[in-house]
Amino acid sequence: MAKRKEIAKLLAMLTLGGVVGAAMMSLLAPRSGQETRTRLKGQGAKLIDKVKSARPQATQSLNVKRISNWGNYPRVEVEFNEFEDIATLRKLVVQAQNVIARGNGRCYGDSALAPQVISTLRYNKFLAFDDKQGVIHCQAGVLLSEILEVIVPRGWFLPVTPGTKLITVGGAIASDVHGKSQHKAGNFSDHVLEIALMLGDGAAVTCSKGQNADLFWTTCGGMGLTGVVLNAKLRLIPVETAYIYQESIKARNLDEMMNLFEQSEAWTYSVAWIDFLAAGPQLGRGFLMRGEHARVSELQKEAHKQNPLLTKSARSVNVPLYFPEFALNKWSMKLFNTLLYGMHPNRRVESIEDYNKFFYPLDVIANWNRIYGKRGFTQYQFILPKQESRAGLIKILHKIQEAGFAPFLTVLKLYDKQNNYLPFAMKGYSLALDFPITAGLFAFLDELDEIVLEHGGRLYLTKDVRMNKQMFMQSYPNVEQFIERVKGLNHGSKFRSFQSDRVGLTR
Amino acid sequence: MKHVLILGATSDIAKALAHKFAAQGFHAILAARKAERLQETATDIKIRHNVTVEVVEFDALDYAGHTAFYEALAAKPEVAICVFGYLGEQKMAQANFTEAHQIIDTNYTAAMSILEIIAADFEQRRAGTIIGISSVAGDRGRQSNYIYGSAKAAFSTYLAGLRNRLAKSNVHVLTVKPGFVRTKMTATLPLPGPVTAKPEQVAADVFKAFQKNNNEIYTLWVWRYLMFLIRNIPEPVFKRLRL
């Protein structure tokens, strides 16, 4: 009930802010919406042409579907195929020319978009669960949410989970996803014991850290360019309860925030929300949340103690329609951020949260991406080396405030290194900013790229939709080695996405 | 320990039903021809729902083997669902009696044969539920699939009679009439989205009807009203329509 109230409050704030903002927008900049629409239409048309020309003539009428990933941009027509068995997949892979595997479409941009898309969603069976050792073996299309439903009641948990559980195992491996535990537990692939993969010639191969190790590390975080993940064995961690002991602490500025992160390095989970609009001495204010899996003795409610591994299924709400584009604007976001910061008490707040609320607060709002409207949104997530983080973060926050582009959610986290060929993570701070796609945004993000590059940082491919080749090549360390290895596997760049072409990983 | 027996377990509707009942704590017995095809599905259901799943060989058209099949079951079910069916090809069935025969035998004769055996057991135990997956196609004959439709009509009538007979024995019979369902069987047909169900929706509707002891359901629910209209078009008009 409390959650529903919170959501209602949030929606009410957004609506109020939207109305106020829209009124001011229409007075101040009556034609900005029109320009954006025209510009985006132009860009969209260009992409559609690109897809049409790349698709083989014979298949033009087959299974054509208009899809986009989580950011709702770009939205393109692709040849879309599904499979339930290996024989069907083999036929698809062997015939394909410009293809990428796609799970639940939760990457934000075009990582899982190509002229031909093979969806793994119907290839979703569990193969084995060893509840003594904590190992689960499943096909690539199984969602992390489905794994949690199986393992949590029996005392196990995923060692690494991102902020949504609505992603597939295949996607988690291809993006080598991470979560609030990155600084301690590393990335998803660090806990993958074995992967079965279909290569471009239709051969199915198995790889792990011990066997075909090079293929394993090229596939982990390889953005789907080595083939289609068939199934994987995952190592789990034992838990006593389905709950998290959480502490939430307010930080009045960036220095306090960074200190809190340093002090929280021993905690399994940590993440912070930042009020990006706070300026001057308050720059970087927000609150940090840190957590540990709760022990039975830490549970307070009798009902929880009785069934420590069971949680009530959260009631979910849906965003049934795309919000009008004026709903999220500078003023509504300012209002939202100020209220969010103001509502948090000035002290440390301890609580016991069910794991869904701690890890996946947004999953209870189905289709929350629609609040950005039909224009879509993107997430600009960058990371900076630790010694450069403070200076770089301040520069970027200033730049955003000056430019007047308003990100909606701003998330800060301290990371540690990552183990594959295309690692996003390094020891340092990452900031993730959600921007509705508006006119001039991409040019502005190009400017931010320069600051990120200057400080030795890089951008997260899974959230990206616009980074250029130069930025990518200069910021990622082992790109040449990766390309060399993929060339050997990827029959004439058979596996490719719009993103891999754009940043120069293929073509 | 409640068990659900699913006859014809390789179809998409059958698999969805197995998942639905297993999610509610039923142990599943999956019966089908070439049952080894179901091993992966069985493992999946076992892991997802923490129940036991047994896979058994069952050939609907081998009437002589039906009694032995049922007697060999290690655990007798509380719920038996007859899902198997054969859509066939109407044009081919008109020209070729073998095809017509197979449609009639699979959808009616075989279902009747195995359900009589199960009904006798349930009647004697004075408990249990029999669920028959029939079809809206049985509600009125149409030129596009009247051979399939007439077999399903016979099956629906059979279920109604069985319900009447078993009512006094505390055995419940549920007739399910799906409209369009997006499955392997209909993968090549252009089905209208708004009235086409996913197998999971059919399974959810069936389970709800099972809990409520309904006698007959349509799924999706709009089909009850669509079929009411179709049944009530006067024959002189209906015979001229292209349906």
Side-chain angles (χ1 to χ4, degrees), chain A residues 28-296:
Chain A
L28 296 171
R31 284 170 55 216
S32 68
Q34 183 69 37
E35 278 166 23
T36 313
R37 271 194 295 278
T38 318
R39 195 188 130 106
L40 290 180
K41 245 184 212 159
Q43 284 174 357
K46 248 186 259 164
L47 257 176
I48 288 171
D49 286 346
K50 198 171 151 192
V51 175
K52 275 193 180 146
S53 60
R55 199 189 306 137
Q57 208 63 32
T59 62
Q60 290 237 339
S61 60
L62 283 176
N63 307 330
V64 170
K65 208 167 157 183
R66 227 167 123 72
I67 57 170
S68 60
N69 291 324
W70 191 239
N72 281 321
Y73 176 87
R75 182 173 284 272
V76 286
E77 266 184 19
V78 302
E79 186 198 328
F80 187 91
N81 284 300
E82 297 181 298
F83 66 101
E84 276 179 59
D85 55 84
I86 290 202
T88 310
L89 173 66
R90 183 167 290 131
K91 223 181 277 170
L92 290 170
V93 166
V94 169
Q95 287 167 1
Q97 288 167 347
N98 293 286
V99 70
I100 199 76
R102 182 175 186 264
N104 206 25
R106 285 288 174 132
C107 65
Y108 282 48
D110 51 2
S111 316
L113 288 180
Q116 298 171 304
V117 167
I118 295 178
S119 169
T120 62
L121 276 182
R122 294 175 68 89
Y123 194 64
N124 66 341
K125 291 195 179 74
F126 284 91
L127 303 174
F129 176 33
D130 180 343
D131 63 357
K132 304 281 176 304
Q133 301 294 319
V135 174
I136 196 141
H137 189 193
C138 61
Q139 293 176 338
V142 171
L143 298 174
L144 300 192
S145 60
E146 296 174 303
I147 294 183
L148 291 166
E149 273 167 35
V150 169
I151 64 172
V152 174
R154 281 145 93 174
W156 298 95
F157 208 79
L158 292 166
V160 169
T161 168
T164 173
K165 57 178 174 173
L166 302 174
I167 66 161
T168 62
V169 168
I173 290 170
S175 285
D176 200 4
V177 298
H178 61 265
K180 297 176 173 67
S181 62
Q182 204 284 336
H183 62 288
K184 285 199 80 179
N187 288 54
F188 194 83
S189 303
D190 291 316
H191 309 273
V192 173
L193 298 173
E194 190 181 287
I195 298 172
L197 183 75
M198 184 174 287
L199 303 174
D201 60 358
V205 289
T206 308
C207 59
S208 65
K209 283 161 206 163
Q211 179 197 2
N212 292 329
D214 208 49
L215 179 62
F216 179 83
W217 288 116
T218 319
T219 299
C220 297
M223 304 309 285
L225 302 181
T226 56
V228 182
V229 175
L230 295 171
N231 60 64
K233 274 185 197 159
L234 314 175
R235 195 164 52 81
L236 308 170
I237 52 167
V239 291
E240 274 185 29
T241 75
Y243 297 87
I244 302 289
Y245 168 77
Q246 175 189 301
E247 290 186 1
S248 180
I249 309 167
K250 205 166 187 170
R252 284 168 300 181
N253 54 49
L254 190 61
D255 286 327
E256 271 190 33
M257 183 63 90
M258 292 173 91
N259 279 337
L260 279 176
F261 266 114
E262 312 266 315
Q263 291 161 20
S264 310
E265 273 198 276
W267 288 69
T268 307
Y269 303 107
S270 66
V271 70
W273 167 83
I274 291 225
D275 176 5
F276 75 97
L277 280 168
Q282 294 191 312
L283 185 82
R285 74 178 187 183
F287 44 86
L288 174 134
M289 281 157 284
R290 56 191 189 189
E292 292 290 344
H293 288 283
R295 310 191 73 102
V296 177

Side-chain angles (χ1 to χ4, degrees), chain B residues 25 41 45 82 91 93 129 138 153 158 170 187 195 209 218 227 229 240:
Chain B
T41 301
I45 294 172
C82 182
K91 284 269 159 58
T129 300
Y158 167 78
N170 189 36
V195 293
Y218 287 79
M227 293 319 292
L229 293 176
R240 285 170 212 285

Side-chain angles (χ1 to χ4, degrees), chain B residues 221-233:
Chain B
W221 60 269
V222 288
W223 284 94
R224 177 175 294 280
Y225 304 96
L226 284 178
M227 293 319 292
F228 175 81
L229 293 176
I230 288 174
R231 277 198 313 272
N232 285 287
I233 300 171

Side-chain angles (χ1 to χ4, degrees), chain A residues 319-335:
Chain A
V319 180
L321 296 167
Y322 286 96
F323 274 32
E325 294 178 4
F326 58 75
L328 286 195
N329 55 55
K330 240 188 292 179
W331 291 278
S332 63
M333 292 192 208
K334 175 134 196 160
L335 187 66

Side-chain angles (χ1 to χ4, degrees), chain A residues 11 23 44 49 144 152 241 281 295 301 374-375 417 437 441 458 470 474 488:
Chain A
L11 289 178
D49 286 346
L144 300 192
V152 174
T241 75
R295 310 191 73 102
K301 290 186 185 155
K374 280 201 169 142
R375 61 191 167 180
K417 68 169 177 44
I437 291 178
L441 175 71
R458 47 190 178 239
Q470 200 192 352
Q474 287 184 36

Side-chain angles (χ1 to χ4, degrees), chain B residues 1-75:
Chain B
M1 290 275 279
K2 294 173 296 182
H3 286 80
V4 61
L5 168 65
I6 298 185
L7 298 159
T10 45
S11 76
D12 290 334
I13 291 181
K15 285 179 188 167
L17 282 164
H19 276 284
K20 183 71 198 175
F21 276 79
Q24 304 289 333
F26 279 83
H27 300 282
I29 308 162
L30 307 181
R33 206 157 35 87
K34 289 192 249 161
E36 71 277 1
R37 288 179 293 172
L38 285 167
Q39 249 356 304
E40 276 198 351
T41 301
T43 307
D44 184 45
I45 294 172
K46 239 184 259 180
I47 296 173
R48 277 178 195 263
H49 309 298
N50 207 7
V51 295
T52 65
V53 183
E54 200 188 340
V55 171
V56 284
E57 186 67 27
F58 169 70
D59 183 352
L61 295 179
D62 174 22
Y63 315 127
H66 283 182
T67 305
F69 157 79
Y70 191 71
E71 278 172 3
L73 291 181

